[in-house]
Amino acid sequence: MTAAPHTARTVLRTDYQRAIAAYWDNTHTGDEVNVLLGDVDELYHHHYGIGDYDPAVLRAEGADREERLVRELDRLESAQADLLLDHLGPIAPEHRLLDAGSGRGGTSFMAHERFGCGVDGVSISQYQVDFANGQAREHGVDDHVRFHFRNMLDTGLESGSRQAVWTNETTMYVDLDQAFAEFARALAPGGRYVCITGCSNDLTGGRSKAVSHIDTHYTCNIHPRSAYFDALAANGLTPITVTDLTPQAIPYWELRARSHLATGIEEAFLTAYKEGSFHYLLIAADRV
Ligand code: GPP
Ligand code: MG
């Protein structure tokens, strides 16, 4: 990391960035869905889940039903992070990774646990950085997993220092060209970038009402599918795997919609995915 000071003035460069930092700085109030799920295994995520749920959970009643729903949603979110990590390629303990938009740190801790490697996470939310560094101390891994108040568009990491970089549902907050240029700079030649994202479908033309609803709910700016591949190609990142995870994402939203943890955004995701105006994609690309 560079010695340059990273203050709110240098890290948050636009009104939009200040607005999203404020949004995530305030998630510690009324954030039951993420905190209750995180409490299950001390891994706090800000992404969604994949895979089939156990239908028996919905047949349970009362407190048992609530507890089983929390555990099942958490299991699906961890399955999503595991799938992302499956695509990072061979990672050795001496490698260093970047979690771009690291939230409360869940995916970073899972990466360290799996590979024994170093991980740096960056977030423009000071609250998230402090929370995740507190978790690193609690897990006893703060010598390997560190979180920084930095902008993913300008991480300050040494060029070529990263064997892998990922974004777990964070690219809808940034300009893709700027982000991928920074990731390509930070990656070693032959390093891997993995992205899980929601993107709009160019084929349906323009932004659907459901996609606009999601954007408004999270103060984000969902990009069209084509924008990802244009920006990857423009920045020397060559896709090796592209998986449409949409069918695997729908059960999570169906279960969440029927749970006591629904936040009101569930129907927009279900509508967008089912009408085909929105895809949940995993993209893995090599820095060539
Ligand atoms: C989930 O965060 C992810 C985002 C808000 C980014 C937008 C993602 C898209 C695929 C459009 P969260 O876990 O804080 O959301 P929630 O509180 O709804 O679970
Ligand atoms: Mg969540």
Side-chain angles (χ1 to χ4, degrees):
M1 294 260 171
T2 56
H6 292 267
T7 62
R9 195 177 56 78
T10 58
V11 172
L12 307 175
R13 294 178 179 173
T14 64
D15 286 343
Y16 175 64
Q17 289 172 7
R18 280 183 280 277
I20 53 178
Y23 174 93
W24 291 106
D25 279 343
N26 286 314
T27 51
H28 51 289
T29 49
D31 191 26
E32 256 203 323
V33 64
N34 301 308
V35 172
L36 287 177
L37 268 56
D39 288 345
V40 172
D41 50 10
E42 293 293 306
L43 291 170
Y44 295 84
H45 296 305
H46 283 289
H47 61 257
Y48 311 122
I50 53 164
D52 290 332
Y53 61 82
D54 175 2
V57 168
L58 290 171
R59 292 194 292 272
E61 287 175 12
D64 180 43
R65 175 188 161 102
E66 291 196 358
E67 196 200 319
R68 289 176 71 175
L69 275 163
V70 167
R71 287 185 176 279
E72 192 64 353
L73 288 166
D74 180 61
R75 186 181 69 77
L76 300 181
E77 291 189 2
S78 290
Q80 187 265 26
D82 265 325
L83 182 76
L84 187 157
L85 299 179
D86 289 345
H87 287 82
L88 294 181
I91 304 294
E94 62 271 23
H95 284 145
R96 287 182 292 167
L97 314 184
L98 166 62
D99 182 351
S102 45
R104 285 180 163 119
T107 311
S108 289
F109 295 121
M110 289 172 65
H112 172 70
E113 168 89 26
R114 191 191 291 203
F115 304 115
C117 60
V119 184
D120 287 285
V122 297
S123 168
I124 60 168
S125 161
Q126 186 71 60
Y127 165 76
Q128 288 187 334
V129 169
D130 293 344
F131 182 98
N133 279 327
Q135 287 283 299
R137 284 190 293 276
E138 275 185 33
H139 293 314
V141 297
D142 51 323
D143 50 342
H144 286 94
V145 186
R146 296 190 182 95
F147 299 91
H148 313 273
F149 180 61
R150 302 274 173 103
N151 194 316
M152 75 165 94
L153 303 178
D154 179 15
T155 62
L157 294 170
E158 198 184 322
S159 297
S161 65
R162 303 292 128 175
Q163 182 60 30
V165 175
W166 73 82
T167 48
N168 198 352
E169 297 183 11
T170 60
T171 46
M172 55 289 295
Y173 289 100
V174 291
D175 177 279
L176 293 180
D177 247 315
Q178 291 177 24
F180 294 172
E182 176 63 357
F183 303 160
R185 186 194 65 74
L187 278 168
R192 174 70 56 81
Y193 168 55
V194 178
C195 170
I196 294 186
T197 191
C199 57
S200 61
N201 187 0
D202 298 88
L203 286 180
T204 47
R207 199 163 291 259
S208 69
K209 197 169 172 183
V211 168
S212 296
H213 186 164
I214 297 167
D215 270 347
T216 304
H217 184 87
Y218 291 109
T219 322
C220 66
N221 178 27
I222 291 165
H223 303 292
R225 175 160 42 120
S226 59
Y228 281 87
F229 297 94
D230 290 348
L232 288 169
N235 290 286
L237 295 167
T238 301
I240 177 77
T241 306
V242 179
T243 309
D244 180 7
L245 297 174
T246 309
Q248 290 168 254
I250 288 173
Y252 168 86
W253 287 104
E254 284 177 338
L255 186 66
R256 186 165 146 163
R258 296 177 68 181
S259 80
H260 59 295
L261 295 169
T263 62
I265 198 58
E266 291 73 18
E267 290 309 323
F269 275 89
L270 287 166
T271 300
Y273 284 148
K274 289 180 180 177
E275 75 187 4
S277 66
F278 188 53
H279 315 288
Y280 196 50
L281 282 199
L282 179 147
I283 305 167
D286 289 327
R287 182 197 181 290
V288 291

